[in-house]
Structures are given as C-alpha cells and as structure tokens.
Amino acid sequence: MTQAPATPTVTRRQHDREIVALAVPAFGALVAEPLFVMADSAIVGHLGTAQLAGLGVASALLTTAVSIFVFLAYATTAAVARRVGAGDLQAAIRQGVDGIWLALLLGAAVIAAVLPTAPALVGLFGASDSAAPYATTYLRISALGIPAMLVVLAATGVLRGLQDTKTPLRVAIAGFVANGALNAGLVYGADLGIAGSAWGTVIAQCGMAAVYLTVVVRGASRYGASLRPDTAGIRASAQAGVPLLVRTLSLRAILLIATAVAARLGDADIAAHQIILSLWSLLAFALDAIAIAGQAIIGRYLGAEDSQGARDACRRMVQWGIAVGVVLGVLVVVARPMFLPLFTGDTVVKHAALPALLVVALSQPICGVVFVLDGVLMGAGDGPYLAWAMVVTLAVFAPLAVLVPALGGGLTALWAAMTLMMAVRMLTLWLRTRSGRWIVTGATR
C-alpha cells in the first residue's frame, strides 16, 4: 500500500524538530565563547587597572584576528553537509580534514606575523604606557593558541555539517571550565600574573582542539578517509572561504565605522553605544544559532538533491527568525530599565541609550530574517553573492553613518542607520532567495 504524502503540518514539525535540535546546542556554544574573555577579565581585573587595560587591548586584537577566519567554520559546514546529504560520509570527513589543514596553515602564518609585531599592534590600539607591556605579553603568549582556535573553528564546521551541534556545546563548556580553573591557578597559585592568564587560555584552547581532532580522526578511521594534507583540497577550501572573508571584513568595517561615529558624538554617546552594541551582539547569538542550523540543514537537502525540501526548510526558518526576533524585541523593551543599571549609573548615558534601545528592539524581526537568510545562502555555498551583497551594504551604510554627526543626529539616529543597514541586507538576501539561483543541488556546488 502506498504511503500517503506528509501533510504540511507534519513537514513543518519535522523542520521544527531539526531546527531546535541543531539551534539550541549551537546557541549554547556561541554564548560559551565570549565567556572565555569574561573569565579572563574577572581574574586579571584583580591584578590592577593597567593589567586589565592591557588585557582589553590584547583581547580586541585576538578577537579580531580569529573572527576574520570564521569562514573556516561556515564554509566547512556547508561543504560537509552537502556530502552528508549525498550519502558520501567519507568525502564529508575528507572535506573537513582539508579545512583543518587550512586552519593550521593560517594559524602558523598568524603566529609568524603577530610575534614580531606585537608591540606595534598594541600601539596602534592606543594602549597607555602603563598598559602596553601587559598587552604585549598577553598578545604574544595568546597568539600561540591561535592555530588551536582556528582548528576549533574548522572542526566545529565539520561537526555542524554532520548535523552535530551537541559535541561543540560540550567541548565549549568543558573549555570554559578548564580556562577558568587554569587562569586562577596560574595567575594566583603560580603567581604568573597576566602571563598566567594567557597561558591558561592557550592550554584550554589546545585541549579543545585536541578533543575535536580526536573526534575527526575517529570519524576518518570509521569511514576510511585519509588524514594526509591534500593540496587540491586545501586550495579548494581556501577558495570557498575567500568570499566569506570579504563578507566578514565588510561587516567588521560597518561595526568599526559605527563605533568611530559614536565616538565623535561625545563620551556619553560612545559609552551608551558600547552598552547597546554588547546587547546587540548577545541578541545576535540567538539569531545566529538559527542561521547555523540553516547552514547544516540546507547543505544536507541540496546534497541530497532535494530542492523542494531546501525551499520548505528556508521558508520555515525565516518564520522562526521573525518569531524569535519579535520575542527578543519585546524582551529588550521590557528589560530596558533593568538592563542599563547593570552597566552604568550615569543618567546622561542612560538618557542617550534608552531611545536607541527602542530602535534596536524594533529592528530585531529584521535581524531575524537577515541572520536566517545569511545562514541559508551559506549552507548553499553561495559565498560570492554574500560577499557582493555585504560590500553593497557597506557602501550604503558608510555615507549614512558619516552624515549622522554632520546633520546633528545623535546615538538614536546612528542606530536608525544601523537598522537601515540591516534592512538593506535583508533586501539583498531576500532577492537572492526569491530568485532561486542559490539552489544548486549535488555533492558539490
């Protein structure tokens, strides 16, 4: 007897289960990552103001360096998921191995660049004479952990592509706990000061990378995939990552421009901007978790040559993005009076932040659509379009942001420009998904 086709309700439920199963652990792992910096700050902060300031400068440099290479996770997720959908797990693992080798090569290059230039890099960030030595020490030691962090990014992409976001969550939690214990022991127990914090973080990062490598090696052994470096495969991984690198750099430029404009508005405005930006980043983690689910799910459907499944999943994830965005927006409005006192008691800063927070709240449904469609197109391997769309967005945002102080606008106007920037992103991504040109089925794009 022929089985009846699944009803739309059943299909939606299937998508919902997949999205929740992948997005919830992904959100936990995303939130765990910033806790590394928070733990370091809490421990180093008791050493003195100069040490904490040095940590702040070094952490900003390290975060920028690692975030530039986030394509190692994104590109690997999409490529591995396609091969999983095609039923070729050996090729999926092999694709992940190529990404890990690329991560090691890039990590070695970053170390070679950072170690001799650390004092100059610290100087570019305007560290004071008292903070600069601490920043240089922390940067040079922590740079040794960059290859491990890049391996973590690539290996996380492998597991996401294999539809596994629970293992990255477990590793992130274990890494956070180990990082805190090591930092406390080395900073105070071994009396190593800020150097102990850096070494503790490096050891924790290397431990995380070792766990990931063990998982990947076991997978390679199970499915007969080679672990040797393959020049063609590494080159293909790099080529897939270049458009995503352009996308990431353009996004970082937008955030830097926004911060620079806020600084021109005055001390109260830049202080309020930093508070709002920290909240905006936290909200982004929740939405990015759905995007990560999108990368894995869309890649798998396209690899299985199920274009209708990919369309249905995309549609359902957009609905999730809008719904989560609405909920987050309401939470921002409700929590405003409680949120701001956590960061400042200055009434001038609060006065500057309150109306801008309303703009942030109203923008969350737009952000939800943007993050989801971004993840969908990444899962489809549509990197060149994502790069082009982000460059266009940067070109629209930059002059608008510069006009804010010129026209006498304040922080609220700046965040209105940020919302318009997200609206431009939404338009470019929606046009692409509506066209259907992103749907290219098969084990490779």
Side-chain angles (χ1 to χ4, degrees):
M1 183 175 179
T2 305
Q3 186 176 3
T7 65
T9 301
V10 173
T11 301
R12 285 198 298 271
R13 287 175 180 170
Q14 290 174 343
H15 289 316
D16 290 346
R17 284 196 295 269
E18 284 187 325
I19 293 167
V20 171
L22 291 171
V24 172
F27 174 69
L30 288 169
V31 171
E33 292 174 10
L35 294 179
F36 272 82
V37 177
M38 290 180 63
D40 289 0
S41 299
I43 292 170
V44 172
H46 292 287
L47 295 174
T49 301
Q51 288 90 333
L52 185 59
L55 173 65
V57 171
S59 294
L61 285 163
L62 290 164
T63 300
T64 300
V66 173
S67 65
I68 287 173
F69 299 113
V70 73
F71 69 83
L72 288 167
Y74 294 158
T76 304
T77 297
V80 171
R82 274 184 175 270
R83 285 160 175 79
V84 169
D88 192 349
L89 291 177
Q90 182 186 68
I93 297 293
R94 179 64 246 185
Q95 180 72 44
V97 170
D98 291 336
I100 290 172
W101 277 112
L102 176 62
L104 288 170
L105 291 173
L106 291 173
V110 172
I111 288 179
V114 169
L115 289 183
T117 61
L121 291 172
V122 168
L124 286 175
F125 268 62
S128 66
D129 291 340
S130 59
Y134 296 113
T136 301
T137 297
Y138 191 93
L139 181 59
R140 277 180 166 159
I141 296 172
S142 294
L144 301 176
I146 287 179
M149 282 306 297
L150 298 189
V151 166
V152 167
L153 285 176
T156 298
V158 176
L159 294 181
R160 288 174 181 170
L162 294 170
Q163 318 296 297
D164 176 10
T165 56
K166 292 181 180 178
T167 299
L169 173 60
R170 297 189 190 103
V171 175
I173 292 173
F176 169 69
V177 173
N179 179 65
L182 286 166
N183 278 3
L186 294 175
V187 171
Y188 298 115
D191 198 26
L192 294 179
I194 195 170
S197 177
W199 281 117
T201 300
V202 169
I203 294 170
Q205 290 167 343
C206 290
M208 292 171 66
V211 172
Y212 275 118
L213 288 174
T214 300
V215 173
V216 172
V217 168
R218 286 176 179 172
S221 176
R222 183 180 304 117
Y223 296 108
S226 173
L227 293 172
R228 294 181 179 180
D230 176 66
T231 303
I234 295 172
R235 186 185 303 113
S237 294
Q239 289 172 344
V242 168
L244 296 180
L245 175 61
V246 173
R247 168 200 168 275
T248 300
L249 290 174
S250 299
L251 179 58
R252 297 293 299 183
I254 287 171
L255 297 177
L256 287 173
I257 290 170
T259 300
V261 170
R264 293 182 61 188
L265 297 176
D267 290 345
D269 287 293
I270 184 61
H273 175 75
Q274 289 302 113
I275 294 171
I276 296 171
L277 190 60
S278 67
L279 175 63
W280 193 76
S281 299
L282 178 62
L283 298 174
F285 285 135
L287 299 172
D288 202 27
I290 305 174
I292 287 170
Q295 294 170 30
I297 292 170
I298 294 298
R300 192 189 73 233
Y301 274 118
L302 293 178
E305 301 191 3
D306 185 356
S307 57
Q308 187 58 48
R311 288 190 182 93
D312 292 341
C314 174
R315 186 180 304 109
R316 190 57 178 161
M317 280 183 283
V318 168
Q319 293 169 355
W320 269 83
I322 294 172
V324 173
V326 169
V327 171
L328 293 177
V330 171
L331 289 175
V332 170
V333 173
V334 173
R336 281 186 312 152
M338 298 173 284
F339 173 74
L340 288 174
L342 295 175
F343 291 87
T344 181
D346 190 325
T347 56
V348 178
V349 174
K350 290 180 182 178
H351 180 73
L354 278 171
L357 278 174
L358 281 178
V359 175
V360 170
L362 292 172
S363 72
Q364 288 310 297
I366 296 174
C367 294
V369 175
V370 168
F371 275 82
V372 167
L373 293 183
D374 205 42
V376 165
L377 295 184
M378 282 185 189
D382 204 9
Y385 183 85
L386 288 172
W388 173 87
M390 189 60 78
V391 170
V392 169
T393 303
L394 172 60
V396 172
F397 173 75
L400 285 175
V402 172
L403 283 174
V404 168
L407 297 177
L411 190 64
T412 303
L414 176 60
W415 275 94
M418 287 284 285
T419 300
L420 180 60
M421 175 271 294
M422 293 301 289
V424 172
R425 288 188 68 189
M426 182 176 70
L427 177 62
T428 58
L429 297 174
W430 177 78
L431 288 173
R432 184 62 167 182
T433 52
R434 185 172 180 270
S435 72
R437 294 176 184 172
W438 57 281
I439 299 176
V440 178
T441 59
T444 58
R445 183 176 174 88

